[in-house]
Amino acid sequence: MMYPEHLLLSSDLRQAHLKSWQAIGQAGDFFTGAERVAMVETARAAVSCDLCQRRKEALSPYSISGHHDGPQTLPEEIVDLIHRIRSDPGRLTKTWFDNVTANHISTQQYVEIVSVVTTSVIIDTLHQTLGLELPELPEPSAGEPRGQFNASAVDIGGWVPVLDAPQDLAHHGLPHVPNIARSMGLVPSAVELFFTAFRPHYSLSDIHLSISQAQAEFVAARVSSINECFY
Amino acid sequence: MLASLTAAQTSTGVTFEDELRGLTDAAIHGEWTRLMALREQAKQTLGAQQVTDALVVAAAFNGITRVADATGIPLDSHTAAATQQMREETGIQRFSYLEKSARYDL
């Protein structure tokens, strides 16, 4: 059980977080369970990392080099990209991404890392905002990566190929499958992991929470602004 | 009104906006001690369930904004066309990937 029973969280959310947390500990398509757990551990270290702090204070985060605090079990380039995604996502650039995927990891690996790290951000953030200790890291399972990806992913002008989906509009004015839901479509298991955790938190219409849709959109937009998110 | 999404003081007219802004800002900036106090205050006005649900949304968007930023995902075409003026007025346009590259790439 991840959350005490007295908290006012839905059973859907509790089950989804538990499922996602356990899934992180299992082999994905490009990383082992142990490597995925190390990604979570590395992301947590980014929050208090001295190098990340100095980069945040710099005019450009790419002008400061050095070594990150925290675990170094993953390759240095992966540690660096996890720290950047966790600590300063609003200043990631296409040039940086191109360098990472041209010289260090495949785009498929990149997508899986984004999924694991951002899923853990949701779960850790909820724990912290409710005044809870962070959950213990998932138990890594044995098993090898499956290597499966979506060979039919398409280029729509983002940094990574995405899920091909029709763009007809739903009643809320966005496509039935908005671009954000397509963004990790190169690796279907990455989509599944992230949106399993995300889905009970929010919907574009008829939100199943005690706050109104307008209040939810206000909070969402405020987070987007703080994190300097264009989408 | 929309500028309040990127500014601290102006108002949108959303019910309990001040409480929601305070909770969200403290949550995303990691100000845990302040957040604890704000949670208790907001329970008196919003109610305990609403406070929890506001934080549920904030946590989700702390994750999904990173997905968007790390994948460089473009705006949905209809949104891009419909919000061009609004993005300029609110300052959101400065978060575009092209503008970020111009600012931060060496």
Side-chain angles (χ1 to χ4, degrees):
Chain A
M1 187 169 71
M2 293 189 86
Y3 297 99
E5 288 198 14
H6 73 271
L7 291 176
L8 301 171
L9 298 169
S10 70
S11 59
D12 284 354
L13 185 146
R14 292 168 186 268
Q15 289 170 18
H17 280 204
L18 187 58
K19 184 178 177 186
S20 294
W21 206 238
Q22 291 170 340
I24 286 175
Q26 296 162 1
D29 277 301
F30 298 94
F31 292 97
T32 65
E35 288 168 332
R36 287 155 61 96
V37 172
M39 291 174 198
V40 178
E41 196 177 14
T42 301
R44 286 180 172 178
V47 176
S48 57
C49 172
D50 179 65
L51 174 59
C52 290
Q53 185 58 40
R54 286 189 285 126
R55 283 179 172 171
K56 278 188 82 77
E57 293 165 0
L59 287 177
S60 167
Y62 304 102
S63 65
I64 309 287
S65 57
H67 292 286
H68 290 289
D69 296 335
Q72 307 289 327
T73 50
L74 296 166
E76 185 178 356
E77 296 78 15
I78 294 180
V79 169
D80 185 64
L81 84 87
I82 291 171
H83 276 250
R84 288 184 188 276
I85 291 170
R86 182 64 182 94
S87 66
D88 201 6
R91 299 202 293 176
L92 302 176
T93 69
K94 177 74 160 51
T95 304
W96 165 81
F97 165 82
D98 285 343
N99 178 56
V100 168
T101 51
N103 298 309
H104 304 300
I105 58 173
S106 70
T107 307
Q108 289 91 338
Q109 288 176 310
Y110 179 87
V111 168
E112 184 166 322
I113 293 168
V114 170
S115 172
V116 171
V117 170
T118 56
T119 300
S120 77
V121 166
I122 290 178
I123 293 172
D124 279 0
T125 302
L126 188 61
H127 277 77
Q128 291 173 305
T129 61
L130 297 176
L132 304 173
E133 295 290 324
L134 294 178
E136 287 187 19
L137 292 169
E139 192 65 33
S141 303
E144 291 302 310
R146 299 172 297 272
Q148 294 176 354
F149 69 99
N150 174 11
S152 302
V154 295
D155 180 2
I156 60 166
W159 300 353
V160 298
V162 305
L163 178 70
D164 194 8
Q167 288 299 285
D168 53 311
L169 297 182
H171 68 279
H172 45 60
L174 283 173
H176 286 287
V177 187
N179 285 350
I180 190 67
R182 307 167 66 194
S183 62
M184 292 186 288
L186 179 63
V187 182
S189 62
V191 178
E192 174 69 17
L193 174 68
F194 180 82
F195 282 100
T196 293
F198 179 86
R199 212 171 284 118
H201 287 251
Y202 173 80
S203 58
L204 283 165
S205 61
D206 305 322
I207 197 161
H208 294 290
L209 294 172
S210 64
I211 57 175
S212 68
Q213 191 76 43
Q215 289 173 313
E217 300 302 340
F218 178 82
V219 170
R222 191 74 194 148
V223 177
S224 298
S225 173
I226 293 169
N227 286 345
E228 299 195 4
C229 177
F230 183 58
Y231 185 82
Chain B
M1 181 187 89
L2 287 168
S4 67
L5 298 175
T6 50
Q9 300 301 327
T10 45
S11 171
T12 60
V14 169
T15 310
F16 294 121
E17 173 184 337
D18 289 344
E19 288 88 343
L20 294 172
R21 181 188 287 112
L23 291 166
T24 305
D25 288 13
I28 303 307
H29 288 304
E31 299 167 346
W32 308 127
T33 304
R34 179 165 167 259
L35 179 60
M36 192 187 311
L38 289 170
R39 278 202 320 261
E40 293 309 311
Q41 288 173 21
K43 283 180 187 173
Q44 307 304 314
T45 51
L46 270 167
Q49 183 67 67
Q50 287 84 350
V51 169
T52 298
D53 285 348
L55 296 172
V56 161
V57 174
F61 276 79
N62 205 27
I64 204 166
T65 50
R66 285 172 165 78
V67 174
D69 281 334
T71 58
I73 198 72
L75 293 177
D76 298 282
S77 54
H78 177 75
T79 305
T83 62
Q84 187 169 356
Q85 185 180 353
M86 182 273 284
R87 295 198 308 273
E88 295 291 347
E89 290 175 356
T90 59
I92 291 172
Q93 189 60 32
R94 73 179 188 273
F95 302 154
S96 77
Y97 307 116
L98 278 178
E99 294 203 17
K100 284 180 181 178
S101 281
R103 272 201 304 279
Y104 304 131
D105 282 344
L106 298 177

